[in-house]
Amino acid sequence: MSEVIVYGFPRSTFVNIVRLVLIHKDVAYRFEDLEPVMGRSEHLALHPFNRVPIFRHGDFTVYETRAIVGYIDEVFAGARLTPAGPEARARMNQWIGVVDSYVYPYMIYHVTHERLVFPELGIPSDEKVVAHALPKVENALVTIERELADGRDYLVGSELFDRRFLPSAKRLCV
């Protein structure tokens, strides 16, 4: 089988989504930490938009979390992550889009980075950015709570992940 490599940095949410999907599918992979070279030529050669994750399977390289996860789900054996029916698949894509467009940018870039990441890096935080983001974060959380008001535990599907793969997580990443 061709080698699988995930490029990124360890605390990236999007990198960890790819890693969790690989664990779920029981796919062995190697992790390459790009944090020391972010923005440099070796990183930009893999992702011209200066982001992570990047995924390599043999001679095939792809970036962007949604594209990577879709590829993994189609190519590797194991329980499918993508629903078979068009309505369930549309609902899944809707919530992925909501998180990508309305939740993550405000909750992570505008609140978490300003309050946690920037101070850790010695960069002063900007409370105006946080103040602008908080109503958007609240709207996103209210919307998610409203969607789950019928008692479901998850936005799509009946379980978060297949727990039987958790013990193998350390074994899969080399």
Side-chain angles (χ1 to χ4, degrees):
M1 180 198 256
S2 298
E3 181 179 31
V4 173
I5 305 170
V6 176
Y7 299 90
F9 51 92
R11 69 176 164 188
S12 164
T13 300
F14 294 107
V15 169
N16 287 321
I17 289 169
V18 170
R19 295 171 82 179
L20 284 169
V21 169
L22 288 165
I23 290 166
H24 178 78
K25 295 289 236 175
D26 205 20
V27 176
Y29 69 94
R30 181 166 51 97
F31 178 72
E32 292 283 332
D33 188 353
L34 288 179
E35 196 158 17
V37 297
M38 289 293 290
R40 295 188 188 151
S41 60
E42 51 266 59
H43 173 225
L44 295 173
L46 295 168
H47 197 310
F49 299 103
N50 196 26
R51 297 276 193 246
V52 293
I54 301 112
F55 177 84
R56 181 171 286 152
H57 179 215
D59 293 335
F60 179 68
T61 302
V62 64
Y63 53 85
E64 292 304 309
T65 307
R66 194 180 307 194
I68 295 167
V69 168
Y71 175 83
I72 293 167
D73 199 25
E74 287 186 42
V75 169
F76 296 99
R80 289 294 307 240
L81 297 170
T82 305
E87 290 175 356
R89 200 167 45 253
R91 188 69 67 208
M92 176 197 76
N93 286 320
Q94 170 189 298
W95 284 107
I96 290 171
V98 165
V99 169
D100 285 350
S101 298
Y102 311 116
V103 177
Y104 192 87
Y106 295 104
M107 196 176 288
I108 303 304
Y109 287 136
H110 298 124
V111 176
T112 303
H113 280 135
E114 291 294 336
R115 293 251 175 101
L116 299 174
V117 177
F118 291 165
E120 203 177 275
L121 297 172
I123 301 167
S125 62
D126 185 344
E127 283 302 311
K128 288 179 187 173
V129 171
V130 174
H132 174 75
L134 286 177
K136 296 173 187 307
V137 170
E138 182 178 3
N139 182 51
L141 294 174
V142 165
T143 301
I144 291 167
E145 288 293 325
R146 189 172 39 244
E147 178 70 18
L148 296 172
D150 61 4
R152 286 178 293 138
D153 290 326
Y154 307 105
L155 293 168
V156 179
S158 60
E159 47 185 62
L160 184 58
F161 54 82
D162 190 336
R163 296 182 191 285
R164 68 192 164 109
F165 291 117
L166 279 181
S168 62
K170 289 186 179 185
R171 169 178 62 82
L172 291 174
C173 181
V174 291

